[in-house]
Amino acid sequence: MSDTRTMNMIQAINSAIDVCMGRDPDIIVTGEDVGYFGGVFKATEGLQRKYGKTRVFDTPITECGIIGVAVGMAAYGLRPVPEIQFADYIYPALDQIVSEAARLRYRSAGEFTAPITVRSPFGGGIFGGQTHSQSPEGIFTHVAGLKTVIPSTPYDAKGLLISAIEDNDPVIFFEPKRIYNGPFDGHYDRPVTPWAKHPASAVPEGHYRIPLGKASVVRAGEAVTILAYGTMVHVAAGVIADTGVDAELIDLRTLVPLDIETIVASVEKTGRCIVVHEATKTSGFGAELSALVQEHCFHSLEAPVQRVTGWDTPYPHSLEWAYFPGPVRLGEAIKRVMEE
Amino acid sequence: MIANRERPGEPVRHVASKEELLEFYRQMLLIRRFEEKAGQLYGLGLIGGFCHLYIGQEAVAVGIQSALEVGKDSVITGYRDHGHMLAYGIDPKLIMAELTGRVAGISRGKGGSMHMFSVEHGFYGGHGIVGAQVSLGTGLAFAHKYKGDGGINVAYFGDGAANQGQVSESMNMAELWKLPIIFVIENNQYAMGTSVNRSSSEDQLFRRGESFRVPGIQVDGMDVLAVRGATNTAVEWVRAGKGPVLLELKTYRYRGHSMSDPAKYRSRDEVQAVREKSDPIEAAKRELDALGVGEDELKALDKEIRKIVAEAADFAEESPEPELSDLHTDVLVGQY
């Protein structure tokens, strides 16, 4: 086991890419400003100096091209890790992700694959307005042939990213940018807590994996199951601590493949379930979770599954905190589900 | 083959009267002072999130807008939009209040710095997705032509956006359909931290349209009269129904890409050299001096502008936040 170091999520992501690049010369990092500049959030800082310009390089601003070229590289045996600077910029690349990356294996009957890892900061909480705040994960979980991963701590971010990069299929790796520098409990008026105070900031320097498709039980409990991922894991943890409810908090970590066993075992125990995400509600990933819980746990349920999500609106500018599904809304949902 | 084609004439630097140049100077100074104040308000936490200042690029918006007809022509740009709106005569108070996210803001606090609009002024935004506005501008140009209203569209974008696929797609369509549009590349040399020659195989961006037969003209974007002169040429060509023109304005932003960018990818000397040798406002000041405009008059003007900007800041600070119910309005025509 290698030494551990205190890392924030950016440093953990940087370390994951570094470790992978050191082990596998086929790993290539591309994207807007990822090389010389080191990435808009500094996630790729120092990698170009260390691995050179043929392995870590800036692309023009052309998201469709970034992903298309990465798929071509991957089909010929490389392992590109392209960055889309903000998840809100990913839509021009949707064609390449959906029609090429996700489908290459199937239509070539396994002869060609696209093992790319698309990294992209996502989510709100930084006053980015409608083009720098979105949570589009539900668009990608809907596409067969893709895996979708969302970490919530530095430790998980590194282990999951290494698994994603080493995975033989395309992975969408969404990084909750609000918690790059510290966990966020949804109380935006309180000072930011740095990761250093959180146990999951102790990150091994070397190689380790967290398997895709394995959720983490953040807190065991008997009263209600809360399913969350990314930033919302910390919001939920804060509400549990504040209200004292004996909730079981599950961090999904990967949405596809989904750890349905852990979810079912928990809901069968608690009989109640709340699904939390920042994305808009209608056709969000919460709808899928809610349906699965109903299908698998119908006879154990004491109350309807609740969804606590962003509203069905574009991401607002000034009303950010009214949109964000924060502690108040989650607290109300817990009350509702417990009263049933 | 290119020689056989009709092309717009060589632009001639605009000859401005004293009053006209003074007005250009006033607008450029307003933009600069406004942006300096926006930077301060950002530092105070009154403006949150993203804020991209236009300082250094003032001659582009002012020179081009001066050649357009407000109420007839339309304009669309990217996220560095405050200066364009000021040059279009939009009330600084409404712009500043949008930056602070207040209900009195021009987009009622829903858009913020990058997403502002004014139908009244034919200003179609304010777009946060790099390059996406260029296709929209092409559609606006189509609508001008379809309606036969005599208007043209000016679609601004940066050197970074010039590499987006849809920009090329738009130029092809615009020429194919002879649309009344001026594509304007504001080449400030850096797409955030990536310089033009590290992202563009052809770094002479005015040539970008040539393979689609869109004539390109390179312009000194730090000289408001050169900008105006080139715009005259482009407007004449476009209004005559001869199709699009591409203008590449060579300019420079003094500040970081946004408020959160310390701009370590270029040297202080580089920035300082541009400020000293090519500042558009200082250049206009020298010309005004030659035209007999005294220091006192310019000082009075600066004072007046500072007052306008201070009032805009006060307004933006004192206006109320939007109501919570505003979160759910304007999603679709009705409620759902």
Side-chain angles (χ1 to χ4, degrees):
Chain A
M1 195 65 183
S2 59
D3 293 338
T4 63
R5 183 160 63 87
T6 303
M7 296 187 199
N8 62 29
M9 198 182 278
I10 295 279
Q11 292 163 327
I13 286 162
N14 185 285
S15 174
I17 303 171
D18 187 8
V19 164
C20 289
M21 292 192 83
R23 290 159 63 101
D24 182 351
D26 288 336
I27 291 167
I28 307 285
V29 171
T30 71
E32 292 152 11
D33 279 311
V34 300
Y36 181 73
F37 192 75
V40 66
F41 291 104
K42 300 292 172 197
T44 54
E45 190 159 43
L47 295 175
Q48 187 178 70
R49 271 196 306 282
K50 187 166 177 182
Y51 295 103
K53 288 181 184 170
T54 54
R55 292 189 65 196
V56 181
F57 54 90
D58 298 319
T59 61
I61 300 177
T62 165
E63 290 81 13
C64 184
I66 291 168
I67 301 302
V69 170
V71 173
M73 291 178 186
Y76 204 73
L78 302 182
R79 276 185 189 275
V81 185
E83 175 183 293
I84 298 295
Q85 198 166 72
F86 285 83
D88 314 69
Y89 303 171
I90 208 165
Y91 305 117
L94 205 59
D95 184 42
Q96 288 293 337
I97 293 172
V98 173
S99 299
E100 306 302 332
R103 308 277 160 78
L104 198 57
R105 179 188 289 280
Y106 192 82
R107 70 168 176 263
S108 68
E111 284 204 43
F112 292 106
T113 58
I116 68 174
T117 301
V118 181
R119 287 184 42 250
S120 191
F122 91 124
I126 65 160
F127 275 108
Q130 63 177 247
T131 55
H132 293 70
S133 307
Q134 294 165 67
S135 296
E137 68 275 12
I139 291 173
F140 298 94
T141 58
H142 188 59
V143 176
L146 291 179
K147 296 179 180 178
T148 301
V149 180
I150 299 174
S152 72
T153 67
Y155 181 86
D156 281 7
K158 180 169 176 180
L160 288 166
L161 184 53
I162 290 175
S163 291
I165 292 171
E166 293 177 354
D167 194 89
N168 288 328
D169 282 307
V171 178
I172 307 296
F173 193 88
F174 280 133
E175 301 165 3
K177 59 181 175 287
R178 171 69 212 210
I179 58 170
Y180 268 153
N181 294 308
F184 174 62
D185 62 8
H187 291 281
Y188 55 90
D189 43 355
R190 294 180 188 167
V192 176
T193 332
W195 273 115
K197 294 186 176 171
H198 192 286
S201 68
V203 179
E205 299 263 25
H207 181 277
Y208 66 96
R209 288 181 183 193
I210 292 173
L212 306 187
K214 190 79 196 104
S216 154
V217 179
V218 178
R219 180 193 188 279
E222 301 293 330
V224 53
T225 301
I226 300 178
L227 304 179
Y229 49 90
T231 303
M232 298 314 295
V233 172
H234 302 282
V235 175
V239 171
I240 293 167
D242 286 348
T243 60
V245 65
D246 185 23
E248 181 144 303
L249 174 58
I250 297 178
D251 175 2
L252 299 176
R253 298 201 289 203
T254 66
L255 309 191
V256 177
L258 183 70
D259 184 357
I260 189 69
E261 289 80 14
T262 298
I263 296 171
V264 170
S266 176
V267 177
E268 280 179 348
K269 177 175 66 172
T270 63
R272 290 177 164 84
C273 182
I274 299 172
V275 177
V276 191
H277 61 61
E278 212 185 309
T280 48
K281 186 174 194 174
T282 302
S283 301
F285 193 66
E288 181 64 29
L289 289 171
S290 174
L292 284 168
V293 168
Q294 184 271 135
E295 279 168 23
H296 288 269
C297 312
F298 185 76
H299 297 288
S300 309
L301 284 173
E302 306 280 346
V305 178
Q306 300 279 322
R307 282 181 286 167
V308 180
T309 69
W311 302 114
D312 282 337
T313 72
Y315 209 100
H317 170 57
S318 62
L319 291 172
E320 168 144 54
W321 299 118
Y323 173 91
F324 189 89
V328 173
R329 263 145 69 190
L330 181 53
E332 284 167 359
I334 290 173
K335 219 172 178 182
R336 260 197 320 273
V337 81
M338 295 308 295
E339 280 168 2
E340 284 281 342
Chain B
M1 71 173 175
I2 288 173
N4 292 336
R5 250 189 271 149
E6 190 196 358
R7 292 183 66 87
E10 223 17 70
V12 179
R13 188 170 187 267
H14 185 65
V15 179
S17 67
K18 189 171 92 175
E19 289 68 32
E20 202 178 8
L21 187 58
L22 200 57
E23 175 59 18
F24 292 169
Y25 177 82
R26 193 191 68 78
Q27 289 183 18
M28 291 196 290
L29 198 60
L30 173 63
I31 294 173
R32 182 154 305 179
R33 296 286 177 258
F34 180 96
E35 294 291 61
E36 286 166 355
K37 179 62 81 178
Q40 288 168 10
L41 296 189
Y42 193 94
L44 293 170
L46 283 160
I47 298 172
F50 294 77
C51 187
H52 309 82
L53 303 181
Y54 200 62
I55 296 174
Q57 300 179 214
E58 296 91 344
V60 175
V62 171
I64 292 177
Q65 305 294 63
S66 72
L68 303 181
E69 292 183 40
V70 175
K72 183 172 169 186
D73 300 326
S74 61
V75 166
I76 193 165
T77 187
Y79 46 80
R80 201 178 302 282
D81 57 354
H82 319 161
H84 290 270
M85 303 182 75
L86 290 167
Y88 231 34
I90 296 173
D91 185 350
K93 285 182 181 161
L94 303 186
I95 305 172
M96 200 67 98
E98 188 61 35
L99 297 185
T100 54
R102 305 307 166 95
V103 72
I106 196 153
S107 296
R108 302 217 325 272
K110 289 188 162 182
S113 161
M114 297 180 282
H115 317 110
M116 293 192 267
F117 302 83
S118 172
V119 174
E120 183 192 342
H121 295 84
F123 183 77
Y124 286 79
H127 294 264
I129 298 296
V130 178
Q133 75 276 15
V134 183
S135 305
L136 272 57
T138 307
L140 289 164
F142 181 93
H144 281 302
K145 185 171 178 173
Y146 186 81
K147 292 185 176 180
D149 61 11
I152 64 172
N153 177 260
V154 178
Y156 293 91
F157 52 106
D159 44 285
N163 292 318
Q164 283 281 28
Q166 57 182 320
V167 172
S168 297
E169 294 169 19
S170 297
M171 284 196 266
N172 184 39
M173 289 185 277
E175 178 64 32
L176 192 64
W177 302 329
K178 296 287 183 204
L179 301 182
I181 180 167
I182 305 175
F183 296 106
V184 178
I185 303 180
E186 290 195 70
N187 180 358
N188 67 17
Q189 334 252 351
Y190 292 92
M192 196 155 76
T194 301
S195 62
V196 172
N197 53 19
R198 285 196 294 109
S199 62
S200 301
S201 55
E202 171 57 274
D203 62 4
Q204 299 303 300
L205 300 177
F206 72 100
R207 294 188 182 135
R208 277 296 170 85
E210 295 289 347
S211 67
F212 305 110
R213 300 195 168 202
V214 177
I217 303 170
Q218 197 170 47
V219 189
D220 178 0
M222 303 302 270
D223 176 352
V224 71
L225 297 181
V227 174
R228 173 57 192 268
T231 312
N232 287 341
T233 302
V235 167
E236 194 185 334
W237 177 270
V238 171
R239 279 211 209 281
K242 295 178 178 180
V245 172
L246 171 62
L247 297 180
E248 180 197 1
L249 284 296
K250 299 276 282 201
T251 182
Y252 200 78
R253 64 168 156 74
Y254 296 174
R255 300 292 186 91
H257 163 76
S258 70
M259 290 303 294
S260 54
D261 168 24
K264 287 181 178 163
Y265 41 82
R266 60 184 186 188
S267 68
R268 276 176 192 278
D269 291 350
E270 179 185 308
V271 181
Q272 202 51 36
V274 177
R275 274 177 177 270
E276 281 168 12
K277 290 178 194 147
S278 318
D279 187 76
I281 296 175
E282 287 302 316
K285 200 173 175 179
R286 284 193 294 274
E287 291 203 37
L288 283 170
D289 185 50
L291 289 170
V293 180
E295 188 74 20
D296 289 349
E297 194 175 341
L298 294 183
K299 273 193 179 148
L301 186 62
D302 191 31
K303 202 174 161 193
E304 179 196 322
I305 286 170
R306 284 181 192 278
K307 186 162 172 278
I308 292 171
V309 169
E311 283 170 3
D314 289 345
F315 178 79
E317 209 175 320
E318 288 157 13
S319 301
E321 308 255 348
E323 297 288 329
L324 280 186
S325 57
D326 278 358
L327 181 61
H328 300 279
T329 56
D330 304 313
V331 178
L332 291 169
V333 172
Q335 296 282 337
Y336 70 101

